[in-house]
Amino acid sequence: MKRKAFAGLLLVPCLASPVFAQGVSPETKVIVDTLWVLITAMLVFFMNAGFALVESGLCRAKNAVNILAKNFIVFAASSLAFWAVGFGIMFGNGNDVMGMTGWLTMGADNSPATGDAYQGVFSSLNWTGVPLYAKFFFQLVFAGTAATIVSGAVAERIKFQSFVVFSFILVGLIYAVGGHWAWGGGWLSKVGFADFAGSTVVHSIGGWAALAGVIVLGPRIGKYMPDGTTRPIPGHNMTSATLGCLILWLGWFGFNPGSTMAADPSAIALIALNTNMAAAAGCLSATVAAWLALGKPDLSMILNGTLAGLVAITAGCNAVSVGSSVIIGAIAGVLVVYAVLFFDKVKIDDPVGALSVHLVNGMFGTLAVGLFATEGGLFLGGGFAKTQSQLIGIAAVGVAVFAMSLIAWFLIKMVMGIRVSAEEELEGLDLGEHGMEAYAGFVQAHQEMRTEIV
Amino acid sequence: MKRKAFAGLLLVPCLASPVFAQGVSPETKVIVDTLWVLITAMLVFFMNAGFALVESGLCRAKNAVNILAKNFIVFAASSLAFWAVGFGIMFGNGNDVMGMTGWLTMGADNSPATGDAYQGVFSSLNWTGVPLYAKFFFQLVFAGTAATIVSGAVAERIKFQSFVVFSFILVGLIYAVGGHWAWGGGWLSKVGFADFAGSTVVHSIGGWAALAGVIVLGPRIGKYMPDGTTRPIPGHNMTSATLGCLILWLGWFGFNPGSTMAADPSAIALIALNTNMAAAAGCLSATVAAWLALGKPDLSMILNGTLAGLVAITAGCNAVSVGSSVIIGAIAGVLVVYAVLFFDKVKIDDPVGALSVHLVNGMFGTLAVGLFATEGGLFLGGGFAKTQSQLIGIAAVGVAVFAMSLIAWFLIKMVMGIRVSAEEELEGLDLGEHGMEAYAGFVQAHQEMRTEIV
Amino acid sequence: MKRKAFAGLLLVPCLASPVFAQGVSPETKVIVDTLWVLITAMLVFFMNAGFALVESGLCRAKNAVNILAKNFIVFAASSLAFWAVGFGIMFGNGNDVMGMTGWLTMGADNSPATGDAYQGVFSSLNWTGVPLYAKFFFQLVFAGTAATIVSGAVAERIKFQSFVVFSFILVGLIYAVGGHWAWGGGWLSKVGFADFAGSTVVHSIGGWAALAGVIVLGPRIGKYMPDGTTRPIPGHNMTSATLGCLILWLGWFGFNPGSTMAADPSAIALIALNTNMAAAAGCLSATVAAWLALGKPDLSMILNGTLAGLVAITAGCNAVSVGSSVIIGAIAGVLVVYAVLFFDKVKIDDPVGALSVHLVNGMFGTLAVGLFATEGGLFLGGGFAKTQSQLIGIAAVGVAVFAMSLIAWFLIKMVMGIRVSAEEELEGLDLGEHGMEAYAGFVQAHQEMRTEIV
């Protein structure tokens, strides 16, 4: 694509000069690539704020401190875990299953050398010519994203310390192993599995880990009534949720275009646009679907539809046309509405819709690469091979991550407990876990009710 | 300007090398320009969050979900409308009135080729050497801004679906036509009209469309009392409004400096600084003006003064000195305070001051180019020619956009209705339009009052 | 460091071409450096939103408008003060104590020329090859940061206009003089004092100015009881505080890596990573320290621990290893918890912990350069010389800024008063200073109580 777009410029004479022939000197390329990688990494970092706001906003005020604290500390935990062991397991030289070098993000490395010129222990990242610490920083913010997805699904009943411990395990081990398979030179990368920016590697892994946690935890008290009905538990702050979703949309312009890890003009322009169009289509299709299914355009569905579109385009944002992005996003927006309804029907209590957004659409987005890819996509006459690779990846990562997460959650439950007491859950985790309120001075309805009862 | 600033550097020998002579190879230039365009576009995208927070924060809690939903979905609608038809009408090759090619953002295009080397259907953008999708993405976030301006002015009484439909019409047609005149090779660009980053094209167009809507809608119930007095309706969340304004200030560093669509060091540094100084001056002058006019430094006036400074410097940020920016911003800050008082006097109900900020100061800022431009400005001895061109543009765009918008609003009113019922307006649009509350669990004063009455 | 990292690339032949030898042409370097400086400056600008949210969130709802207004207007005031006089005093050519040229940011200047080729009145900034206005804009956002630090410490009892006046004095004079000593070619820069991104220049200066203000103001009514006990006054909005802290963390990726004022890939990657790791370590160590000291993981301590790590790594982010960053951050996180307890013990009332974060850890971070620097650090076998220079700088800046600030605060107190009336303080500064509420319509507990009493 780049060659075609540059065709006009390449007609300029003076091809004798090696600099001119290349157009961009090696040192200049390192500079612009590093700028791009660092700036997009910062945008992805900011997604922590987005997740914190969406997840706390869609839950109750009495648990807001707890959710904010979880979403905040999870990136600190991710930073240490990924620095110490996760990065080595994911990208260090090793075998088909995991990396075995690069602990503490150290070891031989002559980045920004690339390709055959690269000599070091992180060979799986030798395709990008930026300094090692830029590579690590970019991958770290991705790892943090996977961990923060879990927070929303297990919200309003998990013990604070149990969540922190699981975050260390997820980022240091589970995510790193799954990521090694697809991005670190592991076996999945050898069967043609394509997941450009992480519909599976980041979002589905986060989603599977969350699903395991939700199952071990059980639903919140009062969510599913004895008579079989489901009680809606409205979020306490739609301003938070909306701002958070816009921050996530912004962050995705780092997430997807930054995954080039190179300032390739045509590629990053296409990816940025595909990302945006899928989000827009997901937003509108979820609005319509919610309107039809629920009678009104529910704002939380509008927001989750947008996120669904973003998750779904993540795997194929570099490989599909703008038109396909619109279609993928539109499907994702409908999927998320019905997924939310489905999970409630089977009594899997996910307070913020994280499973519907990240797990369901992470899988769909990964599959969509097989269907819509300009080169090799089933719907574009490419046959079934690409789709098959995608299905293998979806299934393998799903089984492995779900199993590892289930074991981790059970171990945590046995060793330190996983769920707060029923009394603490009713009173709110903010007082029980943190000894404070999120909105001191504001009168809450449940407080009034308590006063009335007393 | 660039040449002068680079004078020292150009003294370096070796001018024989074509690369060295140019200093920047064509491919390098495409890369850095694309980085700049995409990153600044992301900042402008983030302005959606700023508008959502400012507008919802300055309205009542009972309408917060509705305003957030409007400001959120408007960018999704803009994305599809501008992609499908707006971009073609605005920048596609056509006639003096509108573009007639480039539907679905497709068609012949060999960007990043520039000038005479460009061969495609978007000739009006051949001055910037970035990929087509980068051009589109940047222009899209501008189109979205125009649409989001409307949301605040029509808040607290408009039907959700009517607003969404108008957004499609505004971005797909009205904004695109007005934009074509000034930026897309239309007739205004041929009479010397100068609007660098859109005081008229974005802000006045949004403002005129909003004014038409406000007139068709009428004021909110209870705003203008039968005895002739005006009742202040305070906003529900000044934290939102302040954060939103800071996000807008940040976003303007994309809006104005990004409008170079090229990483020209001296130009973007000047523009960034001018943008900041006008905002600062507008903030301080509005503070003083509000203190004198109202007795206290009202925070919403401080915020709107800043936005007024930003809107006013938008047209001329590349063409005036830093000192002129301070003066332009200071005037804008005073203007906005008196404009807010004026609109209330004539019973035009604009809940967030959008008309005072975007329409009044969009016009003033456009005029200010004629007065303060370093080259050709009336106050700098350049005669009246430049000012005349500006006045023509202000008037022509105003008449055309206001007329088209009025027609669109009336059609919407006839076909699907435009205003919610009085009962829904009193109860709040959040329950009526979306079936939910923004702050579930928080006790609101009007709820208490209702309880007392019952 | 750059040379070593680039070793592989430098082996490419064709060293005969001057362009290729350098790798990056002078004009390209100006472009990428300017992009980096402007983009990071925008991130630092956004820290204004972070400070506004953290400081207002950690105070009471009845003072929220006032704190938001202070944190908002302070950057406008800083912009004018630094433009008119501060930049000249700080970076203009002058003597060892202060600059004496460059008023109104004007004067001879041939930037982006660097080193001996530079001929102008801002010689102390001739090491960075970006346009003058980019240098100014970057330095301006730093100056604004110093001023905004003061706001939190003096919150909930200072008169609005008195704070605004002090901000002009701080940015225009006090900060500029202290900054001249270390960064503007003054005497501290000649004794080997190292403060890369401003642990002392920005954070300690802000902290000392705040301490002087807190002493002159006295504690808030009701904070320290007659019986010697301290009453906790909880913040009103932990969502604000958490979002604000994440925005600050993001902004620090501009603050520290941007202080290279050049797009040096290895340097900016290292600095970004060091910044992040210190923040993460500070977050986790403060969590543990608070858990041990207070019994629960208090969210405001988690947030302040993160900020403490960020402040502490600021001086040495370019000079220490990633491992040292983790250690520095971890120490900072513990320090801040005990500093908060200490200030309450000595009855210095700092509502948001600004002194503990910025003053204490600004000093510690500056000292840490002497201890941990890879080259010359005491703990790395470099002897005591570097540490001695750091101690001289810490003490000299502390004495000078504290004395100047004390004089300024006293003058303000004499001329216009400094503290609101006790009645206004009890009712809240929002009504008294601004005539409005932050959250109109929400029922506050103290309002209910008042109703009960009546």
Side-chain angles (χ1 to χ4, degrees):
Chain A
M1 173 166 303
K2 189 181 165 186
R3 285 193 174 276
K4 210 159 57 182
F6 277 0
L9 281 177
L10 288 179
L11 295 178
V12 180
C14 296
L15 294 174
S17 151
V19 176
F20 212 86
Q22 290 204 358
V24 185
S25 76
E27 285 204 5
T28 297
K29 184 161 167 45
V30 172
I31 292 174
V32 294
D33 288 354
T34 304
L35 286 187
W36 183 242
V37 167
L38 289 182
I39 292 167
T40 52
M42 293 170 195
L43 287 172
V44 179
F45 165 83
F46 198 37
M47 292 173 72
N48 284 294
F51 281 110
L53 291 173
V54 166
E55 295 177 10
S56 63
L58 293 179
C59 292
R60 288 166 288 185
K62 65 182 180 182
N63 299 316
V65 167
N66 180 251
I67 296 167
L68 293 165
K70 275 162 53 203
N71 275 281
F72 189 91
I73 205 169
V74 74
F75 188 69
S78 299
S79 292
L80 287 187
F82 203 65
W83 171 65
V85 295
F87 189 66
I89 292 175
M90 189 153 168
F91 294 105
N93 293 344
N95 51 44
D96 272 358
V97 178
M98 62 181 283
M100 306 290 285
T101 50
W103 313 112
L104 292 171
T105 312
M106 282 161 61
D109 181 86
N110 68 333
S111 300
T114 55
D116 292 342
Y118 176 79
Q119 293 174 329
V121 301
F122 303 103
S123 303
S124 59
L125 286 173
N126 75 1
W127 52 272
T128 171
V130 297
L132 176 63
Y133 287 159
K135 295 177 187 176
F136 171 74
F137 186 51
F138 190 79
Q139 294 300 336
L140 164 62
V141 291
F142 271 61
T145 302
T148 205
I149 290 167
V150 177
S151 172
V154 300
E156 305 206 293
R157 70 268 205 209
I158 198 169
K159 280 175 119 168
F160 183 65
Q161 65 263 51
S162 306
F163 173 77
V164 175
V165 169
F166 182 79
S167 298
F168 272 98
I169 298 170
L170 177 65
V171 172
L173 183 65
I174 300 173
Y175 169 80
V177 168
H180 182 80
W181 293 4
W183 290 350
W187 70 273
L188 262 180
S189 64
K190 294 171 184 165
V191 302
F193 178 69
D195 182 13
F196 182 67
S199 286
T200 283
V201 171
V202 178
H203 296 280
S204 288
I205 287 185
W208 286 115
L211 178 62
V214 169
I215 291 172
V216 174
L217 271 171
R220 290 167 293 171
I221 296 171
K223 177 68 186 170
Y224 303 115
M225 307 301 280
D227 64 358
T229 59
T230 297
R231 196 166 65 94
I233 300 181
H236 84 285
N237 196 330
M238 295 310 294
T239 297
S240 280
T242 307
L243 173 59
C245 192
L246 282 165
I247 290 175
L248 289 174
W249 194 337
L250 173 71
W252 240 285
F253 292 134
F255 208 91
N256 287 0
S259 289
T260 55
M261 292 188 83
D264 175 344
S266 295
I268 60 180
L270 171 70
I271 295 171
L273 184 55
N274 278 350
T275 302
N276 188 71
M277 297 311 288
C283 173
L284 292 171
S285 74
T287 304
V288 172
W291 217 323
L292 296 174
L294 309 172
K296 305 233 179 191
D298 184 280
L299 178 53
S300 60
M301 287 297 190
I302 296 177
L303 303 180
N304 273 335
T306 307
L307 298 179
L310 289 164
V311 169
I313 200 60
T314 295
C317 55
N318 69 325
V320 304
S321 70
V322 178
S324 296
S325 293
V326 173
I327 297 169
I328 291 171
I331 296 172
V334 176
L335 264 183
V336 78
V337 170
Y338 287 95
V340 165
L341 300 175
F342 167 79
F343 282 117
D344 263 349
K345 188 161 278 175
V346 299
K347 300 198 188 316
I348 288 179
D349 182 18
D350 171 11
V352 305
L355 300 176
S356 306
V357 168
H358 300 280
L359 177 53
V360 172
N361 280 292
M363 291 194 286
F364 164 64
T366 308
L367 177 63
V369 182
L371 306 177
F372 291 95
T374 310
E375 292 179 20
L378 180 62
F379 294 167
L380 285 97
F384 191 65
K386 203 170 187 82
T387 302
Q388 190 178 30
S389 300
Q390 299 304 94
L391 289 170
I392 292 171
I394 293 168
V397 170
V399 170
V401 170
F402 184 71
M404 286 192 284
S405 299
L406 214 50
I407 294 169
W409 285 120
F410 269 120
L411 285 175
I412 289 171
K413 186 175 181 178
M414 272 173 33
V415 173
M416 61 197 295
I418 192 172
R419 187 162 177 150
V420 301
S421 69
E423 192 182 15
E424 183 179 327
E425 188 177 337
L426 289 172
E427 191 187 43
L429 278 67
D430 291 2
L431 290 174
E433 298 289 281
H434 305 277
M436 62 195 300
E437 290 176 90
Y439 306 99
F442 287 84
V443 177
Q444 305 280 336
H446 68 97
Q447 293 170 324
E448 285 211 316
M449 280 187 281
R450 238 183 308 167
T451 314
E452 283 163 23
I453 293 163
V454 176
Chain B
M1 174 166 300
K2 191 181 164 186
R3 287 195 172 272
K4 210 159 60 182
F6 278 0
L9 281 176
L10 288 178
L11 295 178
V12 180
C14 297
L15 295 176
S17 150
V19 176
F20 212 87
Q22 291 204 359
V24 184
S25 77
E27 286 205 4
T28 297
K29 183 160 169 48
V30 172
I31 292 174
V32 292
D33 288 354
T34 304
L35 286 186
W36 184 241
V37 167
L38 289 182
I39 291 168
T40 53
M42 293 170 195
L43 286 172
V44 179
F45 165 83
F46 197 38
M47 292 173 73
N48 284 294
F51 281 110
L53 291 173
V54 166
E55 296 177 10
S56 64
L58 293 179
C59 291
R60 286 164 290 183
K62 66 181 178 181
N63 299 316
V65 166
N66 180 252
I67 296 167
L68 293 165
K70 274 162 51 204
N71 275 279
F72 189 90
I73 205 169
V74 75
F75 188 69
S78 299
S79 293
L80 287 187
F82 203 64
W83 171 65
V85 294
F87 190 65
I89 291 175
M90 188 154 169
F91 294 104
N93 294 345
N95 52 43
D96 273 358
V97 177
M98 62 180 285
M100 306 291 285
T101 50
W103 313 113
L104 292 172
T105 313
M106 281 161 60
D109 181 86
N110 68 333
S111 300
T114 56
D116 291 341
Y118 176 79
Q119 293 174 330
V121 302
F122 303 104
S123 303
S124 59
L125 286 172
N126 74 3
W127 51 272
T128 170
V130 297
L132 176 64
Y133 287 161
K135 295 177 188 175
F136 171 75
F137 186 52
F138 190 79
Q139 293 300 334
L140 164 62
V141 291
F142 272 60
T145 301
T148 205
I149 289 168
V150 177
S151 172
V154 300
E156 304 206 294
R157 71 266 204 210
I158 197 169
K159 278 176 123 170
F160 183 65
Q161 64 264 50
S162 306
F163 173 76
V164 174
V165 169
F166 183 78
S167 299
F168 272 97
I169 298 170
L170 177 64
V171 172
L173 184 66
I174 301 173
Y175 170 80
V177 169
H180 182 80
W181 293 4
W183 289 351
W187 70 273
L188 262 181
S189 64
K190 293 170 183 165
V191 302
F193 179 67
D195 182 14
F196 182 68
S199 286
T200 283
V201 172
V202 178
H203 295 280
S204 289
I205 287 185
W208 286 115
L211 178 62
V214 169
I215 290 172
V216 175
L217 270 170
R220 291 168 292 174
I221 297 172
K223 176 68 186 171
Y224 304 115
M225 306 301 279
D227 63 358
T229 57
T230 297
R231 197 167 64 95
I233 300 181
H236 83 286
N237 196 330
M238 296 310 295
T239 297
S240 280
T242 308
L243 173 60
C245 191
L246 282 165
I247 290 174
L248 289 174
W249 194 337
L250 172 71
W252 240 285
F253 293 134
F255 208 91
N256 287 358
S259 288
T260 55
M261 293 188 83
D264 176 343
S266 296
I268 60 179
L270 171 70
I271 296 170
L273 184 56
N274 278 351
T275 302
N276 187 72
M277 297 312 288
C283 173
L284 291 171
S285 75
T287 304
V288 173
W291 218 321
L292 296 175
L294 309 172
K296 305 234 179 190
D298 184 279
L299 178 53
S300 60
M301 287 297 190
I302 295 176
L303 303 180
N304 273 336
T306 306
L307 297 179
L310 288 164
V311 169
I313 200 59
T314 294
C317 54
N318 69 325
V320 305
S321 70
V322 178
S324 296
S325 293
V326 173
I327 297 169
I328 292 170
I331 296 171
V334 176
L335 265 183
V336 79
V337 170
Y338 287 95
V340 165
L341 300 174
F342 167 79
F343 282 117
D344 263 349
K345 189 160 279 177
V346 298
K347 299 201 190 314
I348 288 179
D349 183 18
D350 171 10
V352 306
L355 300 176
S356 306
V357 168
H358 299 281
L359 177 53
V360 172
N361 281 291
M363 290 194 288
F364 164 63
T366 308
L367 177 64
V369 181
L371 306 177
F372 291 96
T374 310
E375 293 179 19
L378 181 63
F379 294 168
L380 285 96
F384 191 66
K386 204 172 188 80
T387 302
Q388 191 178 28
S389 301
Q390 299 304 95
L391 289 170
I392 292 171
I394 293 168
V397 171
V399 170
V401 170
F402 184 71
M404 286 192 283
S405 300
L406 215 48
I407 294 168
W409 285 119
F410 268 120
L411 284 175
I412 290 170
K413 187 174 180 178
M414 272 171 34
V415 174
M416 62 198 294
I418 192 172
R419 187 163 176 150
V420 300
S421 70
E423 193 182 14
E424 183 179 327
E425 188 177 337
L426 289 171
E427 192 187 41
L429 277 68
D430 291 1
L431 289 173
E433 297 290 281
H434 305 277
M436 62 194 299
E437 290 176 90
Y439 306 99
F442 287 84
V443 177
Q444 305 279 338
H446 69 97
Q447 293 170 324
E448 284 212 316
M449 280 186 284
R450 240 182 308 166
T451 315
E452 282 162 23
I453 294 163
V454 176
Chain C
M1 172 167 302
K2 192 183 164 187
R3 288 193 172 275
K4 212 159 56 181
F6 277 0
L9 281 176
L10 287 179
L11 295 178
V12 179
C14 297
L15 295 175
S17 150
V19 177
F20 212 87
Q22 290 204 0
V24 185
S25 77
E27 285 203 6
T28 297
K29 185 161 167 47
V30 172
I31 293 174
V32 292
D33 288 353
T34 304
L35 286 186
W36 183 242
V37 167
L38 289 182
I39 292 167
T40 53
M42 294 170 195
L43 286 171
V44 179
F45 165 83
F46 197 37
M47 292 174 73
N48 284 294
F51 282 110
L53 292 172
V54 166
E55 296 176 11
S56 63
L58 293 179
C59 291
R60 287 165 289 184
K62 66 181 178 182
N63 299 316
V65 166
N66 180 251
I67 297 168
L68 293 164
K70 276 162 50 204
N71 276 279
F72 190 90
I73 205 170
V74 75
F75 188 69
S78 299
S79 293
L80 287 188
F82 204 64
W83 171 65
V85 294
F87 190 66
I89 292 175
M90 189 154 168
F91 294 105
N93 294 344
N95 51 43
D96 273 359
V97 178
M98 63 182 283
M100 307 289 286
T101 50
W103 314 113
L104 292 172
T105 313
M106 282 162 62
D109 181 87
N110 67 333
S111 300
T114 56
D116 291 342
Y118 176 80
Q119 293 174 329
V121 302
F122 303 104
S123 304
S124 59
L125 286 173
N126 74 2
W127 52 272
T128 171
V130 297
L132 176 64
Y133 287 160
K135 295 177 187 176
F136 172 74
F137 186 52
F138 190 80
Q139 293 299 335
L140 164 61
V141 291
F142 271 60
T145 301
T148 205
I149 289 168
V150 177
S151 173
V154 300
E156 304 205 293
R157 71 263 204 213
I158 198 169
K159 279 177 122 168
F160 183 66
Q161 65 263 52
S162 306
F163 173 77
V164 174
V165 169
F166 182 79
S167 299
F168 272 98
I169 298 170
L170 177 65
V171 172
L173 183 66
I174 301 174
Y175 170 80
V177 169
H180 182 81
W181 293 5
W183 290 351
W187 70 273
L188 261 180
S189 65
K190 294 171 182 164
V191 301
F193 179 68
D195 182 14
F196 182 67
S199 286
T200 283
V201 171
V202 178
H203 296 279
S204 288
I205 287 184
W208 287 114
L211 179 62
V214 169
I215 290 173
V216 174
L217 270 171
R220 290 169 291 173
I221 296 171
K223 177 67 186 171
Y224 303 114
M225 306 301 280
D227 63 359
T229 58
T230 297
R231 197 166 64 95
I233 300 180
H236 84 286
N237 195 330
M238 296 310 295
T239 297
S240 280
T242 307
L243 173 59
C245 191
L246 283 164
I247 290 175
L248 289 174
W249 194 337
L250 173 71
W252 241 285
F253 293 134
F255 208 92
N256 286 359
S259 289
T260 55
M261 293 188 83
D264 175 344
S266 296
I268 60 180
L270 171 70
I271 296 170
L273 184 55
N274 278 350
T275 301
N276 187 72
M277 297 312 287
C283 173
L284 292 171
S285 75
T287 305
V288 172
W291 218 321
L292 296 175
L294 309 172
K296 305 233 179 192
D298 183 280
L299 178 53
S300 59
M301 287 296 191
I302 296 175
L303 303 179
N304 273 335
T306 306
L307 298 179
L310 288 164
V311 169
I313 200 60
T314 294
C317 55
N318 69 326
V320 304
S321 69
V322 178
S324 295
S325 293
V326 172
I327 297 170
I328 291 170
I331 295 172
V334 176
L335 265 183
V336 79
V337 171
Y338 286 96
V340 165
L341 299 175
F342 167 79
F343 282 117
D344 263 347
K345 189 161 276 177
V346 297
K347 299 198 191 316
I348 288 178
D349 183 18
D350 171 11
V352 305
L355 300 175
S356 305
V357 168
H358 299 281
L359 177 53
V360 172
N361 281 291
M363 291 194 286
F364 164 64
T366 308
L367 177 63
V369 182
L371 306 177
F372 290 95
T374 310
E375 291 179 22
L378 181 62
F379 294 167
L380 284 97
F384 191 66
K386 203 171 188 80
T387 303
Q388 191 178 28
S389 301
Q390 299 303 94
L391 289 171
I392 292 170
I394 294 168
V397 170
V399 170
V401 170
F402 184 70
M404 285 191 284
S405 300
L406 214 50
I407 294 168
W409 285 119
F410 269 120
L411 285 175
I412 289 171
K413 186 174 181 177
M414 273 171 33
V415 173
M416 61 198 294
I418 192 172
R419 188 163 177 148
V420 301
S421 70
E423 192 181 15
E424 183 178 328
E425 188 177 338
L426 289 172
E427 192 187 41
L429 278 67
D430 291 1
L431 289 173
E433 298 289 283
H434 305 277
M436 63 194 299
E437 290 177 89
Y439 305 99
F442 286 85
V443 177
Q444 305 280 337
H446 68 97
Q447 294 170 323
E448 285 213 315
M449 280 188 283
R450 239 182 307 166
T451 314
E452 282 163 22
I453 293 162
V454 178

